[in-house]
Amino acid sequence: MTTIALRKYLVSKINLLEDDLILEKIKKIIEKKEKVYELSEEQLKKLAQSREQFANGEFYTQEQVDLKIEEWLNEK
């Protein structure tokens, strides 16, 4: 189905809808351009922890990670 055909099909189906709840959901989907992911409370907590660790200098550089991986690979 082409984009134009799909658009026409959806518009015709939307025009037949009587349910306000469904129309509101469609509206939210259409208006939702930037917000792709919705994080859970646990994910938000972990993200805040990570930011705090970074601010405190608790992180590895890519070079440090590469060296650790190289050491680990040489142990095998």
Side-chain angles (χ1 to χ4, degrees):
M1 187 177 277
T2 67
T3 301
I4 293 171
L6 180 58
R7 185 178 294 132
K8 286 180 181 180
Y9 171 79
L10 291 172
V11 168
S12 69
K13 291 297 183 180
I14 290 170
N15 284 332
L16 297 174
L17 287 173
E18 299 285 335
D19 189 330
D20 288 344
L21 183 60
I22 293 174
L23 290 170
E24 281 297 322
K25 287 182 179 183
I26 292 170
K27 181 179 178 248
K28 284 181 183 178
I29 291 170
I30 291 170
E31 289 176 346
K32 197 181 227 182
K33 292 181 182 176
E34 292 179 30
K35 190 174 181 182
V36 176
Y37 299 103
E38 290 188 30
L39 301 178
S40 69
E41 286 298 318
E42 183 64 28
Q43 290 170 319
L44 291 171
K45 195 185 297 183
K46 293 284 186 184
L47 187 56
Q49 270 182 330
S50 298
R51 287 180 173 154
E52 188 176 328
Q53 288 174 327
F54 181 78
N56 292 333
E58 301 171 26
F59 61 88
Y60 292 108
T61 64
Q62 184 64 49
E63 186 175 296
Q64 290 170 317
V65 171
D66 290 342
L67 286 172
K68 285 188 176 292
I69 291 172
E70 192 65 36
E71 288 172 11
W72 178 76
L73 288 172
N74 287 330
E75 290 176 6
K76 302 263 175 191

